Amino acid sequence: MTVRRWSGHLWRHRGTFLLVTLVTTLLLILWASQLLQHPRGRHIAPAVERIPYSKHVPTIIAPPTAHRGGGGQMPKLRPPRNPSEHPARRKRRHLPPVAFLKMSKTGGSTVQNILFRLGERESVTFAFPYYTYQFSYPRRFRAEFVDDLPAGSTQYDILCSHMRLDMGQLRQVMPLNTVYLSLLRDPVHTFESVFSYYMSTVPAFTLAQRAAASHSKSALHVFLEAPESFWDPAEPWNGLARNPMSFDLGLNNWGWNSSWAEDLARLDQKFQLIMVAEHFDESLVLLKDLLQLDLEELAYVRLNTRSAKDVVNLSEEMRARIRSWNSLDVLLYDFFLRAFWEKAERYGMNRLRREVAGLRAVVEGFRRRCLSREGVLPVELGDLIRPWQSDSATILGYELRGNLTDPEQETCLRLVLPELQYHSYLYFQQYGRDMRSVPEE
Ligand SMILES: *[C@@H]1O[C@H](CO)[C@@H](O)[C@H](O)[C@H]1NC(C)=O
Ligand SMILES: *[C@@H]1O[C@H](CO)[C@@H](O)[C@H](O)[C@H]1NC(C)=O
Ligand SMILES: *[C@@H]1O[C@H](CO)[C@@H](O)[C@H](O)[C@H]1NC(C)=O
């Protein structure tokens, strides 16, 4: 019988059969995981997909040229000439891949700077935007917004540029073992800061600013008296005008419904750590634990801070109005604040307090060693360390001591290096060319 002969045949060769099946499956898994990690270049036409969003974008700036050293008598930023020369050079170790969702005005530039320094030291591959330093914000993130893997790299190790999150798309870009991080801030302060920084960029705020010109009240005050009258939800840049943190997390930012709650629960599953700006040092200690860092690697100065004259002093009534206009962000913050303290409890509160004290001593040491002045006006800073200025707020910087040794100079410069300069420098290091600017429409 043919069937019997066949089954006998199969039985005799069952070992070979099993082996072939196993090898095929293994190859398929390998191929699929490669495809998952590097989906682009295979089936997507980048030229068509990479449509930048450039209307109102605060990315229309002179491209920074940190790698050429900026202007004036400012020190040059140069890569260490040999590895041992790097101030904090150490044996290469295995940092897990990291994706940091950098939100608008929650203090993310400071965390990004820490990740930039860490990544530079470890020579990681950054997932940089194809255009400029943001992933076509405020469009929802897409895998195609990421620039190609540089020659010789097999995966992206760190992604920390500004985006509006789409978790599914982000997971297509980053390896499977990526640690997902973000940083939230009290919604009242976040909104006040977003309003001040993006007054000329977010149409709803600009309208309020115009209306306020004929009043003696501040633009924020006028906006909060009747936010609905300035807010056209169909306008993409108005995403930041209400619940900006929910918007950046890719959630619906218009109003609560059951999908908002479901989406939030899903995000909670994906993020290993959501830090909290109000407990920044505690957050960094939890980050240190998660990524197995040293305290020295967490040294920071606050970047992208506004001049005090641009910070609106909020009355209790204005705070209440901000909370009610941004009620989803209030829910979001309360939810993740609880989750944060649960993580802290698990870490151990005494241990946390000890480590925070250690971190503060390290930070203080760096400030004493590196800085001669803090809160320096942009006109007094050289090109290399002058932060990018918003149209509506003055952003302050730092002045370095004049008597630093070369290795100190390298460490200290990176500590105060503003986002755009560091971003363009690392981009140049990775690709050997300048960041692309957003093409004219
Ligand atoms: C919740 O609101 C968003 C935005 O308006 C909408 O896209 C979504 O379908 C809504 N979900 C439910 C369950 O109503
Ligand atoms: C802000 O308000 C506080 C009281 O709440 C007051 O002491 C302070 O002087 C105010 N600052 C400015 C710049 O108006
Ligand atoms: C650098 O100058 C500061 C004062 O401007 C001084 O306190 C410090 O000791 C000097 N450092 C060195 C290494 O000379």
Side-chain angles (χ1 to χ4, degrees), residues 21-33:
T21 314
L22 268 174
V23 167
T24 315
T25 314
L26 208 66
L27 282 175
L28 270 174
I29 289 173
L30 268 174
W31 177 75
S33 68

Side-chain angles (χ1 to χ4, degrees), residues 252-260 262:
N252 145 35
N253 65 321
W254 294 10
W256 191 90
N257 64 19
S258 56
S259 21
W260 187 86
E262 281 163 26

Side-chain angles (χ1 to χ4, degrees), residues 121-333:
R121 193 174 310 149
E122 304 249 323
S123 311
V124 306
T125 301
F126 286 94
F128 282 128
Y130 190 80
Y131 292 111
T132 74
Y133 64 102
Q134 304 182 336
F135 291 108
S136 301
Y137 191 81
R139 292 180 65 196
R140 213 181 264 277
F141 179 78
R142 294 183 54 91
E144 301 81 40
F145 295 167
V146 181
D147 211 333
D148 301 317
L149 270 175
S153 297
T154 53
Q155 65 172 35
Y156 297 108
D157 303 306
I158 295 184
L159 181 150
C160 57
S161 306
H162 202 74
M163 69 158 74
R164 180 175 191 215
L165 182 65
D166 183 306
M167 202 53 165
Q169 290 284 316
L170 182 54
R171 279 156 64 91
Q172 282 186 31
V173 173
M174 295 304 289
L176 287 174
N177 60 335
T178 297
V179 173
Y180 289 90
L181 309 167
S182 194
L183 171 69
L184 296 180
R185 182 183 180 195
D186 182 308
V188 171
H189 295 129
T190 303
F191 187 77
E192 187 276 322
S193 185
V194 163
F195 191 95
S196 152
Y197 197 85
Y198 293 106
M199 210 184 301
S200 333
T201 311
V202 172
F205 299 164
T206 311
L207 288 175
Q209 188 185 21
R210 281 200 208 113
S214 52
H215 292 67
S216 54
K217 296 171 191 159
S218 73
L220 179 57
H221 206 114
V222 168
F223 178 81
L224 289 173
E225 279 176 349
E228 297 272 4
S229 68
F230 299 108
W231 182 61
D232 170 9
E235 166 63 55
W237 265 100
N238 272 345
L240 282 176
R242 186 171 201 176
N243 299 302
M245 293 190 290
S246 299
F247 181 76
D248 282 352
L249 271 168
L251 300 169
N252 145 35
N253 65 321
W254 294 10
W256 191 90
N257 64 19
S258 56
S259 21
W260 187 86
E262 281 163 26
D263 290 345
L264 179 68
R266 214 167 303 132
L267 283 180
D268 181 40
Q269 300 278 308
K270 298 287 192 305
F271 279 87
Q272 274 89 333
L273 178 63
I274 304 262
M275 299 180 274
V276 178
E278 281 67 32
H279 309 286
F280 193 65
D281 291 337
E282 288 80 358
S283 297
L284 289 186
V285 169
L286 294 185
L287 179 68
K288 166 181 178 286
D289 186 48
L290 194 60
L291 303 182
Q292 299 290 301
L293 306 175
D294 298 329
L295 276 184
E296 280 69 27
E297 293 174 303
L298 295 169
Y300 69 92
V301 295
R302 285 191 190 281
L303 294 176
N304 220 357
T305 55
R306 278 175 299 163
S307 157
K309 74 172 171 51
D310 294 320
V311 179
V312 174
N313 218 352
L314 298 168
S315 64
E316 224 9 86
E317 192 203 339
M318 278 170 93
R319 285 169 193 273
R321 282 179 192 263
I322 291 179
R323 272 191 288 267
S324 96
W325 176 244
N326 298 281
S327 58
L328 293 179
D329 273 8
V330 172
L331 286 175
L332 184 77
Y333 181 77

